[in-house]
Amino acid sequence: MLVAGCGGSDGDDKGAARGGDPRDPAGTQGPAMREVKAPVHFSTGKAVALPESAGAGNISIGGLQHPLPLALHRGMAYIARPDGMEIASGLRKAAPVLLTPKHEPLTTMDDLGLTVGSNPARRPVIAESKGKTLAMSSVVTKVPGSGTTKGHHEVELLVADTDTAAMEWSARIPLGEMEYALDVKEEDTEVVGLYGDTVALYAQGRLFGVNVDSHQKVWTAPGTYAAGAVLAAGKLVALRDDADGDRRPVGLNPADGSQKWAIDDVSAETLNAASPSTVIVGGYLSSEDSRDGSVLLEAASSKRIETYDGIMKADSCDYDGRSTTICAGADAVTAYNTQTGKERWTLPDKSGNRVAPEVTLVRAGLVYGTTENGPVVLDSTTGADKEDQPGIAPYFSDGYVGIALTDSDHTVTAYRTEN
């Protein structure tokens, strides 16, 4: 079945959709989907290779070097590209669908070459809106000039309906002149998330709000920001540039972009969501003694729950979906009680002759990763080994499939859940 509606007009703001229907709704190409809430086994005999766009510019000869720009929903992979969004089945072999923006993108897949770290695309967001499940990604494009009117850049928000694997709507926002000097590139953009009727969108150092009904920009947050803002506890938490060249944590109202709180004595370098209601910020925690570390904050109020020495614990933190936040970095893994910020367990543990895994995914009360012994699954609350033969160490899972790299050539591949 082909996806209809190719080549949107100026009025509908929709780009092109090309390819077959990867969902195969008739289920004619394999067994039916089956969800496992917290999988600990994956079938290595039912592997489906994803399009090259899933790993382009992020994988070296040694394996994964940068986060893959994809999200999963019911076994389908939504892959952000610098020139669009690709939709592919992780359950069976099928032709993918490619959604493209109206104007020419700043960067295409052909521009990436073999350079690791060259792919600017960031993971799409899956969210519920108006009774539909949507997949959202964004692309920075070049709008040509006409007559005496200069050309300019714009960011296009691409929104797909996961039921049809087709474009639902899109929105385009003109971008002004470059206003920043920190580590922001022209092609940088990502969808932060959906709050109520507003999509929070990042592009070229700016934060915008887009209304899901009008498909129009409804606010622009003052100032410039680092990539990686998060939605938590009804606040849009971001790192804003200041006049001294530092970045400060701020909490914005995602409905209108207004500031609700700011922390002036933290020079922030990293920001991660620690749970649905908390964030963890790493950097210099005091302007007086320049002490480095990380701080766990209530996103709603900026109240400090816990402070930690050393920046490691904020390098990579993920919420397990239950009651534990897992932070990994520098050959160590530490688990914290999400509510109190107190440590639950840490690895390596010399007394127990246990090493720290290289964490690939934290989800549904489990920690997936690898050691020299191969893939392993830990219980996120206790740190105990739960499964030492899971088949793969997934970077993503939605209960239907897990995403990992093949050992032979590092192809990004989907494996069905088994248990």
Side-chain angles (χ1 to χ4, degrees):
M1 184 176 73
L2 295 179
V3 175
C6 297
S9 68
D10 288 351
D12 62 16
D13 286 348
K14 294 185 179 181
R18 300 195 298 273
D21 184 352
R23 297 169 302 116
D24 183 28
T28 58
Q29 299 184 29
M33 298 185 300
R34 186 170 67 92
E35 181 183 13
V36 179
K37 297 294 185 183
V40 295
H41 293 104
F42 298 86
S43 174
T44 56
K46 299 177 181 179
V48 176
L50 295 183
E52 292 183 6
S53 58
N58 291 313
I59 299 172
S60 72
I61 192 171
L64 185 65
Q65 296 295 311
H66 297 271
L68 299 177
L70 67 85
L72 291 173
H73 178 68
R74 294 179 61 83
M76 298 296 298
Y78 298 83
I79 305 165
R81 301 166 43 128
D83 53 7
M85 179 165 58
E86 201 159 8
I87 305 173
S89 175
L91 296 164
R92 54 185 63 86
K93 293 182 179 179
V97 167
L98 176 60
L99 307 182
T100 57
K102 177 180 176 60
H103 295 292
E104 180 185 355
L106 259 62
T107 304
T108 69
M109 295 299 298
D110 292 338
D111 296 330
L112 303 183
L114 300 177
T115 304
V116 177
S118 60
N119 192 344
R122 298 179 185 271
R123 184 180 180 181
V125 167
I126 308 294
E128 301 288 332
S129 176
K130 312 295 182 182
K132 295 183 177 182
T133 302
L134 305 176
M136 301 180 289
S137 188
S138 56
V139 177
V140 177
T141 65
K142 297 180 286 188
V143 180
S146 177
T148 59
T149 303
K150 292 176 58 178
H152 63 276
H153 293 169
E154 71 178 15
V155 58
E156 182 165 349
L157 172 63
L158 307 175
V159 181
D161 183 344
T162 60
D163 284 340
T164 63
M167 188 88 84
E168 178 71 6
W169 56 272
S170 69
R172 304 197 306 274
I173 302 172
L175 299 171
E177 298 292 334
M178 305 277 278
E179 299 180 12
Y180 42 82
L182 295 179
D183 54 345
V184 178
K185 299 177 181 179
E186 286 187 325
E187 64 269 24
D188 285 351
T189 181
E190 64 182 339
V191 179
V192 180
L194 175 65
Y195 178 80
D197 292 334
T198 305
V199 179
L201 177 64
Y202 172 88
Q204 291 189 352
R206 305 302 299 268
L207 285 168
F208 307 99
V210 177
N211 184 270
V212 298
D213 294 317
S214 68
H215 309 163
Q216 300 295 315
K217 182 188 73 171
V218 290
W219 57 259
T220 301
T224 58
Y225 301 81
V230 300
L231 282 170
K235 296 293 183 292
L236 175 58
V237 183
L239 303 183
R240 186 170 62 201
D241 303 331
D242 69 8
D244 297 326
D246 293 322
R247 283 175 168 152
R248 309 295 183 186
V250 297
L252 309 177
N253 181 351
D256 61 15
S258 62
Q259 180 179 306
K260 293 302 179 182
W261 56 260
I263 302 178
D264 294 329
D265 62 345
V266 172
S267 178
E269 296 180 359
T270 60
L271 169 66
N272 282 274
S275 77
S277 61
T278 58
V279 296
I280 188 164
V281 176
Y284 295 114
L285 303 186
S286 170
S287 57
E288 296 179 356
D289 58 15
S290 296
R291 180 168 60 92
D292 68 330
S294 52
V295 57
L296 183 66
L297 302 173
E298 286 185 355
S301 65
S302 75
K303 177 183 176 182
R304 300 190 187 202
I305 300 173
E306 189 66 68
T307 300
Y308 312 98
D309 289 330
I311 200 168
M312 179 277 293
K313 296 180 178 64
D315 282 354
S316 179
C317 294
D318 289 290
Y319 175 55
D320 75 340
R322 297 183 179 177
S323 62
T324 305
T325 300
I326 305 294
C327 296
D331 300 320
V333 179
T334 306
Y336 300 94
N337 181 304
T338 298
Q339 297 299 317
T340 66
K342 302 301 182 183
E343 184 178 310
R344 289 193 190 275
W345 55 267
T346 189
L347 288 174
D349 178 8
K350 292 183 179 180
S351 63
N353 195 30
R354 301 182 67 209
V355 298
E358 182 179 342
V359 175
T360 57
L361 175 66
V362 177
R363 179 186 179 274
L366 301 174
V367 179
Y368 302 88
T370 60
T371 70
E372 62 182 11
N373 302 316
V376 65
V377 184
L378 309 184
D379 183 292
S380 62
T381 304
T382 65
D385 288 10
K386 191 173 183 69
E387 177 56 54
D388 60 7
Q389 296 291 326
I392 64 167
Y395 292 99
F396 303 92
S397 179
D398 62 350
Y400 294 90
V401 299
I403 304 296
L405 307 183
T406 59
D407 292 333
S408 58
D409 58 5
H410 300 317
T411 298
V412 181
T413 304
Y415 301 86
R416 289 201 183 199
T417 56
E418 263 193 337
N419 54 317

Coordinates of all heavy atoms in Angstrom, one line a residue, residues 76-146:
M76 N 7.8 0.4 15.3 CA 8.2 1.2 14.2 C 9.3 2.2 14.6 O 9.3 2.7 15.7 CB 7.0 2.0 13.7 CG 5.8 1.2 13.1 SD 6.3 0.3 11.7 CE 6.7 1.6 10.6
A77 N 10.3 2.3 13.7 CA 11.4 3.3 14.0 C 11.2 4.6 13.2 O 10.9 4.6 12.0 CB 12.7 2.6 13.5
Y78 N 11.3 5.7 14.0 CA 11.1 7.0 13.4 C 12.5 7.6 13.5 O 13.1 7.9 14.6 CB 10.1 7.8 14.2 CG 8.7 7.2 14.1 CD1 8.3 6.1 14.9 CD2 7.8 7.6 13.1 CE1 7.1 5.5 14.8 CE2 6.6 7.0 12.9 CZ 6.2 6.0 13.8 OH 5.0 5.3 13.6
I79 N 13.1 7.8 12.3 CA 14.5 8.2 12.2 C 14.6 9.7 11.8 O 14.2 10.0 10.7 CB 15.3 7.3 11.2 CG1 15.1 5.8 11.6 CG2 16.7 7.7 11.2 CD1 15.5 4.9 10.5
A80 N 15.2 10.5 12.6 CA 15.5 11.9 12.2 C 16.7 11.9 11.3 O 17.7 11.3 11.6 CB 15.7 12.8 13.5
R81 N 16.5 12.7 10.2 CA 17.6 12.9 9.3 C 17.8 14.4 9.2 O 16.9 15.2 9.4 CB 17.2 12.4 7.9 CG 16.9 10.9 7.8 CD 16.3 10.5 6.5 NE 16.8 11.1 5.3 CZ 17.2 10.4 4.3 NH1 17.1 9.1 4.2 NH2 17.7 11.0 3.2
P82 N 19.0 14.9 8.7 CA 19.2 16.3 8.5 C 18.4 16.9 7.4 O 18.2 18.1 7.3 CB 20.7 16.4 8.2 CG 21.1 15.1 7.7 CD 20.2 14.1 8.4
D83 N 17.8 16.0 6.6 CA 17.0 16.4 5.4 C 15.5 15.8 5.5 O 14.8 15.8 4.5 CB 17.6 16.0 4.1 CG 18.0 14.5 4.1 OD1 17.6 13.8 5.0 OD2 18.7 14.1 3.1
G84 N 15.1 15.4 6.7 CA 13.7 14.9 6.8 C 13.5 13.9 7.9 O 14.3 13.9 8.8
M85 N 12.5 13.1 7.8 CA 12.3 12.0 8.8 C 11.9 10.7 8.1 O 11.0 10.7 7.2 CB 11.1 12.4 9.8 CG 10.8 11.3 10.8 SD 9.8 11.9 12.2 CE 8.4 12.5 11.4
E86 N 12.5 9.6 8.4 CA 12.3 8.4 7.8 C 11.5 7.4 8.7 O 11.8 7.4 9.9 CB 13.6 7.7 7.4 CG 13.5 6.7 6.3 CD 14.8 6.5 5.5 OE1 15.9 7.0 6.0 OE2 14.8 5.8 4.5
I87 N 10.6 6.7 8.2 CA 9.8 5.8 9.0 C 10.0 4.4 8.5 O 9.8 4.1 7.3 CB 8.3 6.2 9.0 CG1 8.1 7.6 9.4 CG2 7.5 5.2 9.8 CD1 6.7 8.1 9.2
A88 N 10.4 3.5 9.4 CA 10.8 2.1 8.9 C 10.3 1.1 9.9 O 10.2 1.4 11.1 CB 12.3 2.0 8.8
S89 N 9.9 -0.1 9.5 CA 9.4 -1.1 10.4 C 10.6 -1.9 11.0 O 11.6 -2.2 10.3 CB 8.6 -2.2 9.6 OG 8.2 -3.3 10.4
G90 N 10.5 -2.1 12.3 CA 11.5 -2.9 13.0 C 11.0 -4.4 13.2 O 11.7 -5.2 13.8
L91 N 9.8 -4.7 12.6 CA 9.2 -6.0 12.8 C 9.3 -6.9 11.6 O 9.3 -8.1 11.7 CB 7.7 -5.8 13.1 CG 7.4 -5.1 14.5 CD1 6.0 -4.6 14.5 CD2 7.7 -6.0 15.6
R92 N 9.4 -6.2 10.4 CA 9.5 -7.0 9.2 C 10.2 -6.2 8.1 O 10.1 -4.9 8.2 CB 8.1 -7.5 8.7 CG 7.1 -6.3 8.6 CD 5.8 -6.9 8.2 NE 5.2 -7.7 9.3 CZ 4.6 -7.2 10.3 NH1 4.4 -5.9 10.5 NH2 4.1 -8.0 11.3
K93 N 10.7 -6.8 7.1 CA 11.3 -6.1 6.0 C 10.2 -5.4 5.2 O 9.3 -6.0 4.7 CB 12.1 -7.0 5.1 CG 13.3 -7.6 5.8 CD 14.1 -8.5 4.9 CE 15.4 -9.0 5.6 NZ 16.1 -10.0 4.7
A94 N 10.3 -4.1 5.0 CA 9.4 -3.3 4.2 C 10.1 -2.0 3.8 O 11.0 -1.5 4.4 CB 8.1 -3.0 5.0
A95 N 9.6 -1.4 2.7 CA 10.2 -0.2 2.2 C 9.8 0.9 3.2 O 8.7 1.1 3.6 CB 9.6 0.1 0.8
P96 N 10.8 1.8 3.5 CA 10.6 2.9 4.5 C 9.9 4.0 3.8 O 9.8 4.1 2.5 CB 12.0 3.3 4.9 CG 12.8 2.9 3.8 CD 12.3 1.7 3.2
V97 N 9.3 4.9 4.6 CA 8.7 6.2 4.1 C 9.6 7.3 4.5 O 10.1 7.4 5.6 CB 7.3 6.4 4.7 CG1 6.8 7.8 4.5 CG2 6.3 5.3 4.2
L98 N 9.8 8.2 3.5 CA 10.6 9.4 3.8 C 9.8 10.7 3.7 O 9.1 10.9 2.7 CB 11.8 9.5 2.8 CG 12.7 10.8 2.9 CD1 13.3 10.8 4.3 CD2 13.7 10.8 1.8
L99 N 9.7 11.4 4.8 CA 9.0 12.7 4.9 C 10.1 13.8 4.7 O 11.1 13.8 5.4 CB 8.3 12.9 6.2 CG 7.3 11.7 6.6 CD1 6.6 12.1 7.9 CD2 6.3 11.5 5.5
T100 N 9.8 14.8 3.8 CA 10.8 15.8 3.5 C 10.2 17.2 3.7 O 9.0 17.4 3.6 CB 11.3 15.7 2.1 OG1 10.2 15.8 1.2 CG2 12.0 14.4 1.9
P101 N 11.0 18.2 4.0 CA 10.6 19.6 4.2 C 10.2 20.2 2.9 O 10.6 19.7 1.8 CB 11.7 20.2 4.9 CG 12.9 19.5 4.4 CD 12.5 18.1 4.2
K102 N 9.6 21.4 2.9 CA 9.2 22.1 1.7 C 10.4 22.7 1.0 O 10.5 22.6 -0.2 CB 8.3 23.3 2.1 CG 7.9 24.2 1.0 CD 7.0 25.3 1.4 CE 6.6 26.3 0.3 NZ 6.0 25.6 -0.8
H103 N 11.4 23.2 1.8 CA 12.6 23.9 1.1 C 13.8 23.0 1.3 O 13.8 22.0 2.0 CB 12.8 25.2 1.8 CG 11.7 26.2 1.5 ND1 11.5 26.7 0.2 CD2 10.8 26.8 2.3 CE1 10.5 27.6 0.3 NE2 10.0 27.6 1.5
E104 N 14.9 23.4 0.6 CA 16.1 22.6 0.6 C 16.8 22.6 2.0 O 17.0 23.7 2.5 CB 17.1 23.2 -0.5 CG 18.4 22.4 -0.5 CD 19.4 23.1 -1.5 OE1 19.0 24.1 -2.2 OE2 20.5 22.6 -1.5
P105 N 17.1 21.4 2.5 CA 17.8 21.4 3.8 C 19.2 21.9 3.8 O 19.8 21.8 2.7 CB 17.7 19.9 4.2 CG 17.7 19.2 2.9 CD 16.9 20.1 2.0
L106 N 19.7 22.5 4.9 CA 21.1 22.9 4.9 C 22.0 21.8 4.7 O 23.1 21.9 4.1 CB 21.3 23.6 6.3 CG 21.3 25.1 6.3 CD1 20.0 25.6 6.0 CD2 21.8 25.6 7.7
T107 N 21.7 20.6 5.3 CA 22.5 19.4 5.2 C 21.7 18.2 4.7 O 20.6 18.1 5.1 CB 23.1 19.1 6.6 OG1 23.8 20.2 7.1 CG2 24.1 17.9 6.5
T108 N 22.3 17.4 3.8 CA 21.6 16.2 3.4 C 22.4 15.0 3.8 O 23.6 15.1 4.3 CB 21.6 16.2 1.8 OG1 22.9 16.1 1.3 CG2 20.9 17.5 1.3
M109 N 21.9 13.8 3.6 CA 22.6 12.6 4.0 C 23.9 12.5 3.2 O 24.9 12.0 3.7 CB 21.7 11.4 3.7 CG 20.4 11.3 4.6 SD 20.8 11.3 6.4 CE 21.7 9.7 6.5
D110 N 23.9 12.9 2.0 CA 25.1 12.8 1.1 C 26.2 13.7 1.7 O 27.4 13.4 1.4 CB 24.8 13.2 -0.3 CG 23.8 12.2 -1.0 OD1 23.8 11.1 -0.6 OD2 23.2 12.6 -2.0
D111 N 25.9 14.7 2.4 CA 26.9 15.6 3.0 C 27.7 15.0 4.1 O 28.8 15.4 4.5 CB 26.3 16.9 3.5 CG 25.7 17.7 2.3 OD1 26.2 17.6 1.2 OD2 24.7 18.4 2.6
L112 N 27.1 13.9 4.7 CA 27.7 13.4 6.0 C 29.0 12.6 5.7 O 29.9 12.6 6.4 CB 26.7 12.5 6.7 CG 25.3 13.1 7.1 CD1 24.5 12.1 7.8 CD2 25.6 14.4 7.9
G113 N 29.0 11.9 4.6 CA 30.1 11.1 4.2 C 30.4 10.0 5.3 O 29.5 9.5 5.9
L114 N 31.7 9.8 5.6 CA 32.1 8.8 6.6 C 32.5 9.5 7.9 O 33.0 8.8 8.8 CB 33.2 8.0 6.0 CG 32.9 7.2 4.8 CD1 34.1 6.4 4.3 CD2 31.8 6.2 5.0
T115 N 32.4 10.8 8.0 CA 32.9 11.5 9.2 C 32.0 11.2 10.4 O 30.8 11.4 10.4 CB 32.9 13.0 8.9 OG1 33.7 13.3 7.8 CG2 33.4 13.8 10.1
V116 N 32.6 10.7 11.5 CA 31.8 10.4 12.7 C 31.5 11.7 13.4 O 32.4 12.5 13.6 CB 32.6 9.4 13.6 CG1 31.9 9.2 14.9 CG2 32.9 8.1 12.8
G117 N 30.3 11.9 13.8 CA 29.9 13.1 14.5 C 29.3 14.1 13.6 O 29.0 15.2 14.0
S118 N 29.2 13.8 12.3 CA 28.8 14.8 11.3 C 27.3 14.9 11.2 O 26.8 15.8 10.5 CB 29.4 14.5 9.9 OG 28.9 13.2 9.5
N119 N 26.5 14.0 11.7 CA 25.1 14.0 11.6 C 24.5 14.9 12.7 O 24.5 14.6 13.8 CB 24.5 12.6 11.7 CG 23.1 12.5 11.3 OD1 22.4 13.5 11.2 ND2 22.6 11.3 11.1
P120 N 23.8 16.0 12.3 CA 23.2 16.9 13.2 C 21.9 16.5 13.7 O 21.3 17.1 14.6 CB 23.2 18.3 12.5 CG 22.9 17.8 11.1 CD 23.7 16.5 10.9
A121 N 21.3 15.5 13.1 CA 19.9 15.1 13.4 C 19.8 14.6 14.9 O 20.7 13.9 15.3 CB 19.4 14.0 12.5
R122 N 18.7 14.9 15.5 CA 18.5 14.5 16.9 C 17.2 13.7 17.0 O 16.3 13.9 16.2 CB 18.5 15.7 17.8 CG 19.8 16.5 17.8 CD 19.8 17.7 18.8 NE 21.0 18.5 18.7 CZ 22.1 18.3 19.4 NH1 22.1 17.3 20.3 NH2 23.1 19.1 19.2
R123 N 17.1 12.9 18.0 CA 16.0 12.0 18.2 C 14.6 12.6 18.1 O 14.4 13.6 18.7 CB 16.2 11.3 19.6 CG 15.2 10.2 19.8 CD 15.4 9.6 21.2 NE 14.5 8.5 21.5 CZ 14.5 7.9 22.7 NH1 15.4 8.2 23.6 NH2 13.6 6.9 22.9
P124 N 13.7 12.0 17.3 CA 12.4 12.5 17.2 C 11.6 12.3 18.6 O 12.1 11.6 19.5 CB 11.7 11.6 16.2 CG 12.8 11.0 15.4 CD 13.9 10.9 16.4
V125 N 10.5 13.0 18.7 CA 9.7 12.9 19.9 C 8.4 12.2 19.5 O 7.7 12.5 18.5 CB 9.4 14.3 20.5 CG1 8.3 14.2 21.6 CG2 10.7 14.8 21.1
I126 N 8.0 11.2 20.3 CA 6.7 10.6 20.2 C 5.7 11.1 21.3 O 6.1 11.1 22.5 CB 6.8 9.0 20.3 CG1 7.9 8.5 19.4 CG2 5.4 8.4 20.1 CD1 7.6 8.6 17.9
A127 N 4.6 11.6 20.9 CA 3.7 12.2 21.9 C 2.2 12.1 21.5 O 1.9 11.9 20.3 CB 4.0 13.7 22.1
E128 N 1.3 12.1 22.5 CA -0.1 12.0 22.2 C -0.7 13.4 22.1 O -0.4 14.3 22.9 CB -0.8 11.3 23.4 CG -0.3 9.9 23.7 CD -0.7 8.9 22.6 OE1 -1.8 9.1 22.0 OE2 0.0 7.9 22.4
S129 N -1.6 13.6 21.1 CA -2.2 14.8 20.9 C -3.5 14.6 20.1 O -3.6 14.0 19.1 CB -1.3 15.8 20.1 OG -2.0 17.0 19.8
K130 N -4.6 15.2 20.7 CA -5.9 15.1 20.0 C -6.4 13.7 19.6 O -6.9 13.5 18.6 CB -5.9 16.0 18.8 CG -5.4 17.4 19.0 CD -6.2 18.2 19.9 CE -5.7 19.6 20.0 NZ -6.4 20.5 21.0
G131 N -6.1 12.7 20.5 CA -6.4 11.4 20.2 C -5.5 10.6 19.3 O -5.8 9.5 18.9
K132 N -4.4 11.2 18.9 CA -3.5 10.6 17.9 C -2.1 10.5 18.6 O -1.8 11.3 19.4 CB -3.4 11.4 16.6 CG -4.7 11.4 15.8 CD -4.5 12.1 14.5 CE -5.7 12.1 13.6 NZ -5.5 12.7 12.3
T133 N -1.4 9.5 18.1 CA 0.0 9.4 18.5 C 0.9 10.0 17.4 O 0.8 9.5 16.3 CB 0.5 8.0 18.8 OG1 -0.4 7.5 19.9 CG2 1.9 7.9 19.3
L134 N 1.7 11.0 17.7 CA 2.4 11.7 16.7 C 3.9 11.5 16.9 O 4.4 11.4 18.0 CB 2.1 13.2 16.8 CG 0.7 13.7 16.6 CD1 0.6 15.2 16.8 CD2 0.1 13.2 15.3
A135 N 4.6 11.5 15.7 CA 6.1 11.5 15.7 C 6.6 12.8 15.2 O 6.1 13.2 14.1 CB 6.6 10.3 14.9
M136 N 7.4 13.5 15.9 CA 7.8 14.9 15.5 C 9.3 15.0 15.4 O 10.1 14.6 16.3 CB 7.3 15.9 16.6 CG 5.8 15.8 16.8 SD 5.2 17.0 18.0 CE 5.8 16.2 19.5
S137 N 9.7 15.6 14.3 CA 11.1 15.9 14.1 C 11.2 17.3 13.5 O 10.2 17.9 13.1 CB 11.8 14.8 13.2 OG 13.2 15.0 13.1
S138 N 12.5 17.8 13.3 CA 12.6 19.1 12.7 C 13.9 19.2 11.8 O 14.8 18.5 12.1 CB 12.7 20.2 13.8 OG 13.7 19.9 14.7
V139 N 13.8 20.1 10.9 CA 14.9 20.3 9.9 C 15.1 21.8 9.6 O 14.2 22.5 9.5 CB 14.6 19.6 8.6 CG1 15.6 19.8 7.5 CG2 14.3 18.1 8.8
V140 N 16.4 22.2 9.6 CA 16.7 23.6 9.2 C 16.9 23.6 7.7 O 17.6 22.8 7.1 CB 17.9 24.1 9.9 CG1 18.3 25.5 9.4 CG2 17.7 24.1 11.4
T141 N 16.2 24.5 7.0 CA 16.2 24.6 5.5 C 16.6 26.0 5.1 O 16.7 27.0 5.8 CB 14.8 24.3 5.0 OG1 13.9 25.3 5.4 CG2 14.4 22.9 5.4
K142 N 16.9 26.1 3.7 CA 17.3 27.4 3.1 C 16.1 27.8 2.2 O 15.7 27.2 1.3 CB 18.5 27.1 2.2 CG 19.7 26.7 3.0 CD 20.9 26.5 2.0 CE 20.8 25.2 1.2 NZ 22.0 24.9 0.4
V143 N 15.6 29.0 2.6 CA 14.5 29.6 1.8 C 15.2 30.6 0.8 O 15.9 31.5 1.2 CB 13.5 30.4 2.7 CG1 12.4 31.0 1.8 CG2 12.9 29.4 3.7
P144 N 15.0 30.4 -0.5 CA 15.7 31.3 -1.5 C 15.1 32.7 -1.5 O 13.9 32.9 -1.2 CB 15.4 30.6 -2.8 CG 14.1 29.8 -2.6 CD 14.2 29.3 -1.1
G145 N 15.9 33.6 -1.8 CA 15.5 35.0 -2.0 C 14.7 35.2 -3.3 O 14.7 34.4 -4.2
S146 N 14.1 36.4 -3.4 CA 13.4 36.7 -4.6 C 13.4 38.3 -4.7 O 13.0 39.0 -3.8 CB 11.9 36.3 -4.5 OG 11.2 36.6 -5.6

